[in-house]
PDB file of all heavy atoms in Angstrom:
ATOM      1  N   VAL H 411     156.011 166.362  75.186  1.00 95.00           N
ATOM      2  CA  VAL H 411     155.450 165.918  73.903  1.00 95.00           C
ATOM      3  C   VAL H 411     156.579 165.501  72.965  1.00 95.00           C
ATOM      4  O   VAL H 411     156.534 164.435  72.338  1.00 95.00           O
ATOM      5  CB  VAL H 411     154.600 167.037  73.267  1.00 95.00           C
ATOM      6  CG1 VAL H 411     154.187 166.644  71.852  1.00 95.00           C
ATOM      7  CG2 VAL H 411     153.370 167.327  74.121  1.00 95.00           C
ATOM      8  N   LYS H 412     157.606 166.331  72.887  1.00 96.00           N
ATOM      9  CA  LYS H 412     158.734 166.032  72.007  1.00 96.00           C
ATOM     10  C   LYS H 412     159.496 164.786  72.452  1.00 96.00           C
ATOM     11  O   LYS H 412     160.028 164.044  71.623  1.00 96.00           O
ATOM     12  CB  LYS H 412     159.676 167.231  71.955  1.00 96.00           C
ATOM     13  CG  LYS H 412     159.100 168.452  71.251  1.00 96.00           C
ATOM     14  CD  LYS H 412     160.089 169.614  71.275  1.00 96.00           C
ATOM     15  CE  LYS H 412     159.534 170.829  70.535  1.00 96.00           C
ATOM     16  NZ  LYS H 412     160.475 171.984  70.584  1.00 96.00           N
ATOM     17  N   ALA H 413     159.546 164.552  73.752  1.00 95.00           N
ATOM     18  CA  ALA H 413     160.311 163.416  74.277  1.00 95.00           C
ATOM     19  C   ALA H 413     159.559 162.096  74.163  1.00 95.00           C
ATOM     20  O   ALA H 413     160.165 161.021  74.204  1.00 95.00           O
ATOM     21  CB  ALA H 413     160.674 163.672  75.741  1.00 95.00           C
ATOM     22  N   SER H 414     158.233 162.155  74.004  1.00 94.00           N
ATOM     23  CA  SER H 414     157.411 160.937  74.031  1.00 94.00           C
ATOM     24  C   SER H 414     157.577 160.098  72.769  1.00 94.00           C
ATOM     25  O   SER H 414     157.706 160.618  71.661  1.00 94.00           O
ATOM     26  CB  SER H 414     155.936 161.303  74.213  1.00 94.00           C
ATOM     27  OG  SER H 414     155.721 161.946  75.453  1.00 94.00           O
ATOM     28  N   ASP H 415     157.556 158.786  72.967  1.00 95.00           N
ATOM     29  CA  ASP H 415     157.610 157.834  71.849  1.00 95.00           C
ATOM     30  C   ASP H 415     156.201 157.466  71.375  1.00 95.00           C
ATOM     31  O   ASP H 415     156.026 156.981  70.259  1.00 95.00           O
ATOM     32  CB  ASP H 415     158.344 156.569  72.272  1.00 95.00           C
ATOM     33  CG  ASP H 415     159.768 156.858  72.723  1.00 95.00           C
ATOM     34  OD1 ASP H 415     160.520 157.445  71.929  1.00 95.00           O
ATOM     35  OD2 ASP H 415     160.118 156.503  73.866  1.00 95.00           O
ATOM     36  N   ALA H 416     155.225 157.674  72.229  1.00 94.00           N
ATOM     37  CA  ALA H 416     153.826 157.370  71.896  1.00 94.00           C
ATOM     38  C   ALA H 416     152.937 158.178  72.825  1.00 94.00           C
ATOM     39  O   ALA H 416     153.387 158.678  73.864  1.00 94.00           O
ATOM     40  CB  ALA H 416     153.545 155.876  72.037  1.00 94.00           C
ATOM     41  N   PHE H 417     151.647 158.293  72.434  1.00 94.00           N
ATOM     42  CA  PHE H 417     150.697 159.031  73.258  1.00 94.00           C
ATOM     43  C   PHE H 417     149.505 158.140  73.593  1.00 94.00           C
ATOM     44  O   PHE H 417     149.124 157.267  72.808  1.00 94.00           O
ATOM     45  CB  PHE H 417     150.210 160.279  72.527  1.00 94.00           C
ATOM     46  CG  PHE H 417     151.316 161.223  72.147  1.00 94.00           C
ATOM     47  CD1 PHE H 417     151.623 161.452  70.820  1.00 94.00           C
ATOM     48  CD2 PHE H 417     152.054 161.876  73.116  1.00 94.00           C
ATOM     49  CE1 PHE H 417     152.648 162.311  70.451  1.00 94.00           C
ATOM     50  CE2 PHE H 417     153.082 162.744  72.770  1.00 94.00           C
ATOM     51  CZ  PHE H 417     153.380 162.956  71.431  1.00 94.00           C
ATOM     52  N   VAL H 418     148.927 158.387  74.759  1.00 92.00           N
ATOM     53  CA  VAL H 418     147.785 157.605  75.199  1.00 92.00           C
ATOM     54  C   VAL H 418     146.682 158.543  75.670  1.00 92.00           C
ATOM     55  O   VAL H 418     146.947 159.623  76.207  1.00 92.00           O
ATOM     56  CB  VAL H 418     148.186 156.628  76.341  1.00 92.00           C
ATOM     57  CG1 VAL H 418     148.624 157.387  77.594  1.00 92.00           C
ATOM     58  CG2 VAL H 418     147.053 155.664  76.671  1.00 92.00           C
ATOM     59  N   LYS H 419     145.429 158.130  75.428  1.00 88.00           N
ATOM     60  CA  LYS H 419     144.279 158.887  75.911  1.00 88.00           C
ATOM     61  C   LYS H 419     143.282 157.913  76.517  1.00 88.00           C
ATOM     62  O   LYS H 419     143.286 156.716  76.212  1.00 88.00           O
ATOM     63  CB  LYS H 419     143.617 159.659  74.768  1.00 88.00           C
ATOM     64  CG  LYS H 419     143.006 158.773  73.697  1.00 88.00           C
ATOM     65  CD  LYS H 419     142.341 159.600  72.606  1.00 88.00           C
ATOM     66  CE  LYS H 419     141.730 158.673  71.536  1.00 88.00           C
ATOM     67  NZ  LYS H 419     141.062 159.444  70.466  1.00 88.00           N
ATOM     68  N   ILE H 420     142.429 158.430  77.376  1.00 84.00           N
ATOM     69  CA  ILE H 420     141.395 157.607  78.010  1.00 84.00           C
ATOM     70  C   ILE H 420     140.078 157.856  77.283  1.00 84.00           C
ATOM     71  O   ILE H 420     139.572 158.987  77.279  1.00 84.00           O
ATOM     72  CB  ILE H 420     141.250 157.953  79.504  1.00 84.00           C
ATOM     73  CG1 ILE H 420     142.578 157.690  80.239  1.00 84.00           C
ATOM     74  CG2 ILE H 420     140.126 157.146  80.143  1.00 84.00           C
ATOM     75  CD1 ILE H 420     142.572 158.174  81.671  1.00 84.00           C
ATOM     76  N   PRO H 421     139.506 156.844  76.649  1.00 80.00           N
ATOM     77  CA  PRO H 421     138.215 157.030  75.969  1.00 80.00           C
ATOM     78  C   PRO H 421     137.132 157.375  76.994  1.00 80.00           C
ATOM     79  O   PRO H 421     137.030 156.733  78.040  1.00 80.00           O
ATOM     80  CB  PRO H 421     137.946 155.667  75.322  1.00 80.00           C
ATOM     81  CG  PRO H 421     139.256 154.952  75.346  1.00 80.00           C
ATOM     82  CD  PRO H 421     139.998 155.466  76.527  1.00 80.00           C
ATOM     83  N   MET H 422     136.327 158.377  76.711  1.00 79.00           N
ATOM     84  CA  MET H 422     135.259 158.775  77.623  1.00 79.00           C
ATOM     85  C   MET H 422     133.958 158.938  76.842  1.00 79.00           C
ATOM     86  O   MET H 422     133.935 159.603  75.801  1.00 79.00           O
ATOM     87  CB  MET H 422     135.623 160.080  78.330  1.00 79.00           C
ATOM     88  CG  MET H 422     136.822 159.975  79.256  1.00 79.00           C
ATOM     89  SD  MET H 422     137.109 161.486  80.223  1.00 79.00           S
ATOM     90  CE  MET H 422     137.553 162.640  78.922  1.00 79.00           C
ATOM     91  N   SER H 423     132.886 158.330  77.326  1.00 75.00           N
ATOM     92  CA  SER H 423     131.600 158.387  76.632  1.00 75.00           C
ATOM     93  C   SER H 423     130.678 159.466  77.188  1.00 75.00           C
ATOM     94  O   SER H 423     129.652 159.783  76.596  1.00 75.00           O
ATOM     95  CB  SER H 423     130.898 157.021  76.728  1.00 75.00           C
ATOM     96  OG  SER H 423     130.714 156.645  78.080  1.00 75.00           O
ATOM     97  N   GLY H 424     131.045 160.019  78.342  1.00 80.00           N
ATOM     98  CA  GLY H 424     130.218 161.066  78.941  1.00 80.00           C
ATOM     99  C   GLY H 424     130.550 162.444  78.405  1.00 80.00           C
ATOM    100  O   GLY H 424     131.280 162.585  77.425  1.00 80.00           O
ATOM    101  N   ARG H 425     130.030 163.473  79.059  1.00 71.00           N
ATOM    102  CA  ARG H 425     130.188 164.846  78.572  1.00 71.00           C
ATOM    103  C   ARG H 425     131.319 165.595  79.281  1.00 71.00           C
ATOM    104  O   ARG H 425     131.625 166.728  78.927  1.00 71.00           O
ATOM    105  CB  ARG H 425     128.874 165.598  78.739  1.00 71.00           C
ATOM    106  CG  ARG H 425     127.733 165.004  77.917  1.00 71.00           C
ATOM    107  CD  ARG H 425     126.415 165.706  78.181  1.00 71.00           C
ATOM    108  NE  ARG H 425     126.461 167.113  77.792  1.00 71.00           N
ATOM    109  CZ  ARG H 425     125.464 167.974  77.979  1.00 71.00           C
ATOM    110  NH1 ARG H 425     124.336 167.554  78.561  1.00 71.00           N
ATOM    111  NH2 ARG H 425     125.583 169.220  77.600  1.00 71.00           N
ATOM    112  N   ALA H 426     131.936 164.968  80.269  1.00 73.00           N
ATOM    113  CA  ALA H 426     133.051 165.624  80.956  1.00 73.00           C
ATOM    114  C   ALA H 426     134.196 165.848  79.980  1.00 73.00           C
ATOM    115  O   ALA H 426     134.522 164.977  79.169  1.00 73.00           O
ATOM    116  CB  ALA H 426     133.529 164.777  82.132  1.00 73.00           C
ATOM    117  N   GLU H 427     134.787 167.021  80.059  1.00 70.00           N
ATOM    118  CA  GLU H 427     135.863 167.368  79.129  1.00 70.00           C
ATOM    119  C   GLU H 427     137.149 166.614  79.443  1.00 70.00           C
ATOM    120  O   GLU H 427     137.903 166.242  78.552  1.00 70.00           O
ATOM    121  CB  GLU H 427     136.123 168.877  79.198  1.00 70.00           C
ATOM    122  CG  GLU H 427     137.179 169.368  78.219  1.00 70.00           C
ATOM    123  CD  GLU H 427     137.365 170.870  78.287  1.00 70.00           C
ATOM    124  OE1 GLU H 427     136.350 171.583  78.451  1.00 70.00           O
ATOM    125  OE2 GLU H 427     138.506 171.327  78.197  1.00 70.00           O
TER     126      GLU H 427
END
Side-chain angles (χ1 to χ4, degrees):
V411 172
K412 292 178 178 178
S414 297
D415 301 304
F417 301 114
V418 65
K419 65 179 180 179
I420 299 173
M422 295 187 294
S423 58
R425 297 176 63 184
E427 183 178 322

